[in-house]
Amino acid sequence: MHSYVEVITTPTADTAGTAMLFDVGQKRYLFGNMHEGLQRACIQRNARLAKTTDIFIAGKTEWKNVGGLFGVILTMADANASAVQSEKENMEKKIKKRQSDEIGRLSESKSTKKAKYDDKRAEVFREAGLDPEKWLTGPGKATEAPPTVPTLTIHGSKNLTHTIATARRFIFRKGMPIRINEHVAAQQPTLPGDWRDPDWKDESIQVWKLPIEPAIRDQSPKSPRKRPFDEFATGLLPHAHHGDFPRNVVRTRKGSEAREDEQRRLVASEMFNSQWRVDALTETPLVQVPTSTPMWIRSQNTNKLERYYRPGDGTLPQINVLIRRPWPGALIEQLPPTQPSQTAMSYIVRHYSQRGKFLPDKSKALKVHHLLYQALQQGATVKSQDGTTVTPDMVLEPSRTGGGFAYLDVPSIDHLQDLLDRPEWKMPRIMNGLQIMIWNLAPDVASTAALQSFFSHHKDVKHIVAAPDVSANPISFESSAALVLRLNQIDWGRYLVPIYSNSVNPEALTKRLIDAEFPNPQSLSRGFRFQLEPSAKVLSDDPDLFFDVGAVLKDMPAEVLELANSAKSESSSNVSSENIGLPSQDAEIICLGTGSSAPSKYRNVSATLLRVPGCGSYLFDCGEGTLGQLKRLYTPTQMTELFRDLKAIWVSHLHADHHLGTTSVIKAWNEVNYGLDATNEDEIFLDERAIKALQISKHCKRLFLFSEAQMIQWLKEYSSVEDFGYEKLVAIKTDRARNDPNSSSMSWNNAKVGFRTDNDAMNEAMSQATGIENLVTCGVNHCHGAQAVSVTFRTGFKFSYSGDCRPSKEFVRIGQGSTVLVHEATFDDDMQKDAEAKKHSTISEAIGVAQAMGAKRLVLTHFSQRYQKIPQLRALNKINVNFDDVEVSSNGEEEVVDMPHGLAEIGTTTVSPTPRQRRSTASPSIPSPESEELKIAVAFDFMRVRVRDIAYLDKLTPVLQRLFEIVEREDRKKAKDDPGEIARRKKDELKASRQKQSREQIRETNVVKAREKVEETGERLNKSRSRSRNGVRDGNATSAAAPGRRPSTAVAAPLKDAELMEEQSARINYVDMAHELERVEGESNVQELGQSNGNTTSKVSLPLLEEPQVSPADIRPR
């Protein structure tokens, strides 16, 4: 057996921890921090997650360690679904192949021989004192089983199940069962001795969990509870002496924890292996159906489904209607609360002891039958041919201790001592064979005296350390960095190279061990590979660590640089005049993620930062990895300034690629503005209302979050796992604009708020707190709760953001006259049907929306990952767009059904009908300005562009297209010489060769069968003729089965009715069989000719078979 560990990530700006893949051949395991960006790092490193059965999450259950878990699970679910489908198709092919007569005869012959061989083996085993049923296993006994759905087990610390269950509103996959193995303190006995049983094991490895707690605990008297901002905003809570529990928290009764844990477990299980279907309808009495639920009835005339609407007069007839049952996750309105846990997980992993090498010479000398060799190797005791008992140790070399490693996560100095005091370090049977310890340390832990002493006491183990103050900060995503570096050479002011550092700090590891007698611990680097079995050795001690900037600069085509310089000179004089009248020309748009659905090597998922001088900074959508992208653009000092200036976050909808980075951004904002211990809070009287609460923003920093209710609910539920700053949020629920395009309905803890309300004091407080003059939203056609937004600032600058949507007339209405529109352009124009099916927009549709809106500038973003670098931009003319808007019911409410967000985008699920009924309306009445007035920029990650510079980027688009044409051509050329690509090509060629041989065998079998049927039909026809008494027949007609000549015609003598019908039937069957033989022979010849000419579509004229002499009048039409 071969096994090795490979490091995928180390602590960097955009990969917050250490993750590694443990490969044992038949399966894989993930160990470490499942941080944001891990999914993208696996793509960049080509680390395939197929065959991964278990994930072992190290450290505490906090977003830093689990933020990337959801993306990894979704990737694995899709990969496993494809693998199961492929296995199913292969099995069906095998079954069809075995149904062939030739193969059937061959199989019968083989099975007869196999049965005789099995009988002989069974007799030998019985004579040796072994049960054949127990020890005889082989291909002859096994039956073809249907492909099994792989189960993923996730191991981690307390609150892991709760964290996964909070995502029930936006994570849904079918056919991916998961088990959550959450650590419980009572599971681990601390018994003295040299061994304790592993906490988990399978057929390949054993795992010991090492939960650790911080040594220092706050034992001071608990200070009076500080009320979160959203509690005193409404002034509806009881006084402090009534208790310290907020109203919406259910007190945990004794004995209820088990029930609550079971509830969380069931929710998490339904998220990945539910039998629920979106297209299943259930008959329900109308009086029991909630308002705004879509309903159907079956027509009495056609028996087809028709939409049913409630009567306008409010009366409800006593009838049954058909409705969709809610997605089970929606039935759990709120999870039971939990408490943050400080328990951090580490792991020791060991292979089983390896049996010694089998010695056949000794077995032969002991007169052991050769059929018993395998049973001896598997540990059976047998009897030799002379009756002597033979044990495995008599014919095997001494066993060898299995190799192993330890993954040790220390989240703080306070946790270190508890880890060093673990009893496992003094258990030889666990420590024997441990070859390497991989440490993931918090800052300042590596240089502590206690850890250095531990290193010196375990000299025989290789220590590899990853820590922010030890490891380098290299580029994590080289493909994206190379792309930006090329763009930077074209325009250095707007495409910024990510910030990185290749310097390692070994002093943090060695300053206390200068005189040590053993090699110093080394810093862990990405790409490090260590083999455990069959022998311990470093496979990659010189990994490809650093991004080669010089190589990228050297490959920059000179032609592109010349085109860029020409575009700059031509546009320098025109751009200034084109910006006349634009407000806030210094407002800056920073593209942090411009891809859709899932991250790729070149584009991260959705996030756009807007910085308006004099107003503030605003984040529109916040996909996974957004904080890492910010850290690559800004220095620590600049990050502090940014988070002090950040006023609000807008989340357009609850899809994973738009909001999974929100928690880490809020936590970073909270640490900057309140420090790591954000406990200082101004005392506020309980009877103060929302307006006064908003006014505290003048003295206490508050971060506003605008989104739908379920986004806010998700953050609230997760806040009981980790204090990431939720109490400092002003989380405002937004709704679609109704009749007034200049205002939207907003609420905060059920209290009405907004920028254009009837309360002037409220309007002023909101504007001062956010720096926004007005914010208007509308519902768009994408998923439940999806919204677009238009924001107006006091400077007159108007910014509109589409999120994900089909073109929306309502969005055009609220965004009229926008200075800048950022609109999704997921698909190219030739994929219009895909855009409609997946509820996205094409490039031309996005441009059409901008023209209809009267926007001055347009930034295209959210490109499908199939366009890895740049989409195609065609000539921009005046465009008419069909607008797909959300349909509302007669009471003005949007028609929805509770179901997981993003279900329509699941590749393995077909959704029909849609969760909400839509209608398309052409809108020729909306004016469209001339396309020359609209300036367009194509967004790339790390692009920073001021409003006044978008006109310049519009002129730079042809240069970018030329650049990527050259780069992609060079990439394809390099790919041909890549060793991995060469190996894949050889594998594909071998597969194609085998498929060709299989097709040829099938064709040959079909030809043989067809010839046999033709001959059989010819014989029947000859017999029919011989029974004719008065017919004049050609004696040579019996050669009809011989191919090569077309049939001649002759006049047939009259026959009796029965004889005539019989002969006509035989003739018709003969013609059918002859044409069938011609077809299968033709397929074979066409295939051979096409392959020889390099063209499988070539056709060849084949000779017709000779048929019997038949009169056309004798063959009736069929």
Side-chain angles (χ1 to χ4, degrees):
M1 179 180 69
H2 286 76
S3 67
Y4 65 89
V5 294
E6 178 179 3
V7 176
I8 302 173
T9 63
T10 56
T12 64
D14 38 20
T15 55
T18 301
M20 63 185 194
L21 197 64
F22 182 33
D23 193 319
V24 298
Q26 69 272 22
K27 61 170 60 177
R28 299 185 179 101
Y29 312 85
L30 265 177
F31 280 86
N33 310 129
M34 304 298 113
H35 51 75
E36 290 185 48
L38 178 58
Q39 178 187 9
R40 192 181 184 194
C42 290
I43 297 172
Q44 180 66 63
R45 302 292 305 172
N46 198 25
R48 300 186 179 183
L49 299 179
K51 300 183 182 179
T52 301
T53 60
D54 293 84
I55 297 176
F56 294 86
I57 302 176
K60 299 188 297 183
T61 300
E62 57 182 352
W63 199 256
K64 173 186 174 184
N65 298 327
V66 300
L69 178 63
F70 300 113
V72 169
I73 294 177
L74 292 178
T75 299
M76 294 172 59
D78 295 339
N80 288 335
S82 300
V84 170
Q85 181 64 25
S86 177
E87 186 178 351
K88 182 179 179 181
E89 292 174 356
N90 291 336
M91 181 173 293
E92 291 175 353
K93 290 179 181 178
K94 290 180 180 179
I95 293 174
K96 290 180 180 179
K97 187 176 180 181
R98 288 173 183 171
Q99 292 174 350
S100 170
D101 291 342
E102 293 292 331
I103 297 177
R105 288 192 292 270
L106 180 62
S107 299
E108 183 178 357
S109 174
K110 285 187 175 181
S111 61
T112 303
K113 294 180 180 179
K114 182 67 173 63
K116 293 180 179 179
Y117 178 72
D118 284 346
D119 291 341
K120 182 178 179 181
R121 290 184 67 193
E123 182 180 355
V124 171
F125 272 62
R126 280 190 290 268
E127 292 176 354
L130 299 179
D131 182 8
E133 293 297 327
K134 177 180 179 181
W135 294 98
L136 266 183
T137 57
K141 282 187 169 282
T143 58
E144 289 287 352
T148 57
V149 178
T151 299
L152 176 67
T153 304
I154 306 173
H155 311 257
S157 184
K158 181 176 171 54
N159 290 331
L160 176 60
T161 309
H162 183 96
T163 300
I164 294 176
T166 62
R168 65 193 180 279
R169 294 284 187 179
F170 56 89
I171 298 292
F172 178 86
R173 285 294 187 273
K174 299 179 71 172
M176 176 66 180
I178 68 168
R179 288 196 297 263
I180 302 175
N181 188 0
E182 183 175 308
H183 169 70
V184 178
Q187 289 178 345
Q188 283 196 325
T190 55
L191 300 176
D194 63 347
W195 173 261
R196 74 172 179 86
D197 292 334
D199 299 291
W200 182 88
K201 62 183 179 180
D202 64 1
E203 68 278 6
S204 300
I205 62 173
Q206 309 168 85
V207 178
W208 288 266
K209 298 178 182 178
L210 308 179
I212 57 175
E213 301 284 347
I216 301 176
R217 299 178 181 272
D218 184 9
Q219 302 296 336
S220 60
K222 188 174 181 180
S223 60
R225 175 177 170 270
K226 302 298 183 180
R227 290 169 293 112
F229 193 40
D230 59 354
E231 289 183 15
F232 62 70
T234 58
L236 300 177
L237 293 183
H239 289 284
H241 66 270
H242 288 168
D244 287 342
F245 289 89
R247 296 178 60 193
N248 61 347
V249 175
V250 180
R251 294 174 184 264
T252 302
R253 298 186 303 273
K254 185 177 181 180
S256 66
E257 287 189 11
R259 292 193 299 272
E260 293 174 351
D261 289 341
E262 180 66 12
Q263 182 183 22
R264 297 184 184 100
R265 188 190 64 79
L266 290 175
V267 169
S269 175
E270 285 288 323
M271 291 167 56
F272 298 95
N273 197 33
S274 175
Q275 300 302 316
W276 177 82
R277 292 176 53 191
V278 68
D279 54 354
L281 298 177
T282 304
E283 188 173 3
T284 307
L286 176 61
V287 294
Q288 299 179 10
V289 178
T291 306
S292 76
T293 299
M295 298 173 290
W296 289 264
I297 59 173
R298 199 169 289 281
S299 172
Q300 296 180 353
N301 298 327
T302 63
N303 203 34
K304 294 182 179 180
L305 289 177
E306 297 178 350
R307 278 299 303 270
Y308 178 80
Y309 298 92
R310 296 173 182 269
D313 57 4
T315 60
L316 296 179
Q318 299 298 318
I319 63 172
N320 291 340
V321 295
L322 298 173
I323 64 171
R324 297 190 187 97
R325 283 298 178 191
W327 147 240
L331 300 178
I332 308 298
E333 291 294 334
Q334 184 172 347
L335 293 176
T338 185
Q339 295 293 328
S341 172
Q342 295 299 316
T343 303
M345 297 301 299
S346 295
Y347 303 95
I348 295 176
V349 184
R350 281 273 310 277
H351 281 295
Y352 292 97
S353 296
Q354 303 297 308
R355 293 191 186 96
K357 182 179 178 181
F358 179 69
L359 304 174
D361 293 339
K362 280 192 175 183
S363 301
K364 188 175 181 180
L366 293 172
K367 298 183 179 181
V368 177
H369 197 286
H370 69 277
L371 293 178
L372 301 174
Y373 286 179
Q374 183 177 0
L376 270 173
Q377 295 179 62
Q378 294 176 353
T381 298
V382 303
K383 289 184 179 180
S384 66
Q385 294 176 347
D386 59 3
T388 305
T389 300
V390 180
T391 58
D393 59 291
M394 299 169 64
V395 294
L396 294 175
E397 292 182 350
S399 61
R400 179 175 54 83
T401 302
F405 69 91
Y407 184 103
L408 307 173
D409 190 288
V410 184
S412 70
I413 293 181
D414 296 338
H415 287 80
L416 177 61
Q417 195 58 47
D418 195 23
L419 176 63
L420 303 183
D421 292 341
R422 292 288 307 184
E424 289 80 4
W425 309 129
K426 300 178 181 179
M427 296 180 178
R429 292 177 59 190
I430 294 179
M431 292 297 292
N432 289 342
L434 199 64
Q435 299 152 338
I436 184 172
M437 292 186 183
I438 297 177
W439 298 80
N440 187 66
L441 305 178
D444 301 325
V445 175
S447 58
T448 58
L451 182 58
Q452 299 290 333
S453 176
F454 184 87
F455 289 161
S456 64
H457 280 87
H458 296 276
K459 301 178 182 180
D460 53 337
V461 179
K462 190 175 184 66
H463 298 273
I464 313 292
V465 176
D469 56 343
V470 173
S471 305
N473 183 27
I475 293 292
S476 300
F477 308 115
E478 295 91 340
S479 299
S480 175
L483 176 62
V484 176
L485 190 58
R486 290 189 175 101
L487 295 174
N488 176 265
Q489 291 180 269
I490 295 175
D491 187 352
W492 63 269
R494 297 170 185 85
Y495 304 101
L496 302 184
V497 178
I499 297 172
Y500 68 97
S501 171
N502 292 336
S503 60
V504 182
N505 182 21
E507 291 79 8
L509 291 173
T510 60
K511 63 183 181 180
R512 293 184 182 271
L513 288 173
I514 301 300
D515 299 326
E517 298 179 356
F518 68 100
N520 292 320
Q522 70 181 70
S523 175
L524 183 65
S525 56
R526 185 191 54 199
F528 175 82
R529 297 179 71 186
F530 187 86
Q531 177 179 286
L532 298 174
E533 295 290 346
S535 60
K537 63 179 179 180
V538 176
L539 298 177
S540 177
D541 55 357
D542 186 20
D544 183 14
L545 175 62
F546 301 133
F547 174 60
D548 192 348
V549 175
V552 177
L553 296 176
K554 184 178 179 181
D555 291 342
M556 186 65 182
E559 174 190 350
V560 175
L561 294 177
E562 294 177 2
L563 290 174
N565 293 331
S566 176
K568 290 177 184 178
S569 60
E570 291 177 2
S571 61
S572 58
S573 59
N574 299 327
V575 169
S576 298
S577 60
E578 293 172 346
N579 288 328
I580 296 176
L582 283 183
S584 297
Q585 295 187 23
D586 288 334
E588 188 177 29
I589 300 166
I590 300 97
C591 299
L592 303 171
T594 57
S596 69
S597 181
S600 73
K601 293 192 295 184
Y602 297 97
R603 295 181 184 271
N604 198 40
V605 289
S606 297
T608 301
L609 178 66
L610 174 67
R611 309 196 70 177
V612 183
C615 297
S617 297
Y618 309 87
L619 194 56
F620 291 83
D621 278 335
C622 194
E624 180 183 335
T626 296
L627 181 62
Q629 298 286 88
L630 287 170
K631 290 181 177 180
R632 291 296 185 186
L633 275 176
Y634 297 102
T635 65
T637 301
Q638 292 171 335
M639 285 287 288
T640 300
E641 296 173 356
L642 170 63
F643 281 122
R644 287 176 178 168
D645 190 50
L646 185 64
K647 298 291 184 63
I649 299 175
W650 161 262
V651 177
S652 61
H653 62 287
L654 206 64
H655 275 174
D657 60 321
H658 287 257
H659 79 279
L660 280 183
T662 311
T663 303
S664 54
V665 169
I666 295 173
K667 185 174 183 178
W669 175 91
N670 186 52
E671 291 175 354
V672 167
N673 290 281
Y674 288 91
L676 296 178
D677 298 320
T679 57
N680 295 325
E681 179 92 41
D682 286 357
E683 292 293 337
I684 302 297
F685 294 106
L686 292 173
D687 58 351
E688 293 193 53
R689 309 299 294 182
I691 298 174
K692 290 189 176 182
L694 284 168
Q695 289 175 346
I696 355 176
S697 298
K698 297 178 181 179
H699 310 290
C700 298
K701 300 286 290 187
R702 299 295 173 189
L703 180 62
F704 283 72
L705 175 78
F706 297 92
S707 190
E708 60 159 319
Q710 293 179 356
M711 172 67 190
I712 298 171
Q713 178 69 19
W714 172 65
L715 290 174
K716 187 174 184 178
E717 287 185 348
Y718 180 73
S719 67
S720 65
V721 174
E722 175 187 3
D723 181 13
F724 63 90
Y726 180 78
E727 293 186 353
K728 304 301 183 294
L729 278 182
V730 180
I732 295 180
K733 173 191 171 184
T734 59
D735 202 353
R736 55 170 295 159
R738 298 299 181 182
N739 299 320
D740 186 358
N742 297 317
S743 66
S744 288
S745 174
M746 302 181 190
S747 61
W748 176 30
N749 293 327
N750 299 320
K752 182 180 179 181
V753 295
F755 296 90
R756 296 291 175 89
T757 67
D758 297 334
N759 190 328
D760 293 337
M762 170 67 70
N763 301 339
E764 181 63 22
M766 287 285 289
S767 182
Q768 289 184 1
T770 62
I772 295 173
E773 179 71 17
N774 194 17
L775 185 148
V776 187
T777 68
C778 70
V780 291
N781 183 359
H782 179 64
C783 71
H784 170 55
Q787 299 180 51
V789 66
S790 186
V791 184
T792 305
F793 298 90
R794 293 186 174 184
T795 60
F797 176 66
K798 189 171 184 178
F799 180 86
S800 296
Y801 181 81
S802 70
D804 288 4
C805 64
R806 293 287 298 140
S808 169
K809 183 178 179 180
E810 190 72 12
F811 184 39
V812 169
R813 188 164 71 108
I814 69 172
Q816 275 295 314
S818 291
T819 312
V820 175
L821 166 65
V822 176
H823 202 288
E824 71 122 291
T826 306
F827 292 103
D828 201 355
D829 293 345
D830 57 0
M831 301 189 71
Q832 179 69 38
K833 295 299 182 182
D834 292 77
E836 294 173 0
K838 296 184 178 181
K839 295 179 173 53
H840 286 291
S841 299
T842 65
I843 294 174
S844 290
E845 286 175 333
I847 296 170
V849 170
Q851 292 178 344
M853 188 180 286
K856 303 301 186 296
R857 302 290 181 264
L858 171 64
V859 178
L860 297 174
T861 186
H862 196 271
F863 299 108
S864 170
Q865 301 295 7
R866 60 173 47 86
Y867 313 121
Q868 294 282 340
K869 294 169 184 175
I870 189 171
Q872 290 291 328
L873 290 181
R874 296 171 175 82
L876 306 181
N877 299 315
K878 192 172 181 178
I879 299 172
N880 292 323
V881 180
N882 289 333
F883 293 96
D884 291 347
D885 282 290
V886 180
E887 183 174 304
V888 296
S889 60
S890 57
N891 62 359
E893 293 189 6
E894 183 181 343
E895 296 187 343
V896 300
V897 62
D898 281 323
M899 62 181 59
H901 293 257
L903 183 60
E905 293 189 356
I906 298 175
T908 58
T909 304
T910 302
V911 181
S912 178
T914 57
R916 291 183 290 178
Q917 299 300 308
R918 308 290 185 179
R919 54 187 170 91
S920 297
T921 56
S923 182
S925 60
I926 297 179
S928 298
E930 296 299 325
S931 60
E932 289 79 5
E933 299 179 8
L934 179 65
K935 305 303 177 184
I936 303 174
V938 178
F940 294 90
D941 287 14
F942 300 116
M943 184 181 84
R944 296 176 60 176
V945 58
R946 299 185 186 277
V947 172
R948 63 169 179 262
D949 296 331
I950 295 177
Y952 166 69
L953 292 182
D954 178 75
K955 302 179 185 303
L956 205 60
T957 299
V959 182
L960 300 180
Q961 289 179 328
R962 181 55 181 160
L963 167 64
F964 293 119
E965 288 175 4
I966 297 174
V967 170
E968 288 178 358
R969 185 170 63 245
E970 293 177 351
D971 288 347
R972 287 193 296 269
K973 183 178 179 181
K974 292 178 181 178
K976 292 182 180 180
D977 301 327
D978 180 65
E981 183 65 24
I982 293 174
R984 282 190 291 271
R985 284 203 304 269
K986 289 183 178 179
K987 183 178 180 181
D988 292 342
E989 290 172 359
L990 179 60
K991 183 178 179 181
S993 175
R994 291 175 177 172
Q995 290 176 346
K996 177 184 175 182
Q997 294 177 0
S998 177
R999 288 194 299 267
E1000 290 175 351
Q1001 292 175 357
I1002 294 173
R1003 282 198 298 271
E1004 184 178 349
T1005 302
N1006 290 338
V1007 168
V1008 171
K1009 288 182 179 181
R1011 287 188 181 278
E1012 290 175 352
K1013 290 182 179 180
V1014 169
E1015 292 173 359
E1016 180 184 352
T1017 308
E1019 291 177 0
R1020 287 177 53 199
L1021 185 58
N1022 291 335
K1023 291 179 182 179
S1024 176
R1025 289 184 185 131
S1026 66
R1027 289 194 299 267
S1028 300
R1029 291 173 297 179
N1030 299 322
V1032 180
R1033 298 290 183 266
D1034 184 357
N1036 295 326
T1038 56
S1039 62
R1045 298 190 301 275
R1046 287 190 175 273
S1048 60
T1049 59
V1051 179
L1055 299 176
K1056 292 182 179 181
D1057 289 345
E1059 294 173 346
L1060 179 62
M1061 292 179 63
E1062 181 180 359
E1063 184 168 345
Q1064 286 177 345
S1065 175
R1067 289 171 178 173
I1068 291 171
N1069 289 337
Y1070 178 84
V1071 172
D1072 287 344
M1073 294 301 101
H1075 282 290
E1076 177 65 16
L1077 175 59
E1078 179 182 336
R1079 182 186 67 79
V1080 295
E1081 286 186 329
E1083 286 182 356
S1084 178
N1085 292 338
V1086 167
Q1087 183 70 17
E1088 292 174 1
L1089 181 62
Q1091 290 175 354
S1092 63
N1093 293 338
N1095 180 10
T1096 57
T1097 61
S1098 301
K1099 293 185 178 180
V1100 60
S1101 178
L1102 298 175
L1104 293 177
L1105 300 174
E1106 181 178 7
E1107 299 177 3
Q1109 298 172 0
V1110 180
S1111 171
D1114 289 340
I1115 300 180
R1116 292 173 294 178
R1118 290 168 289 172

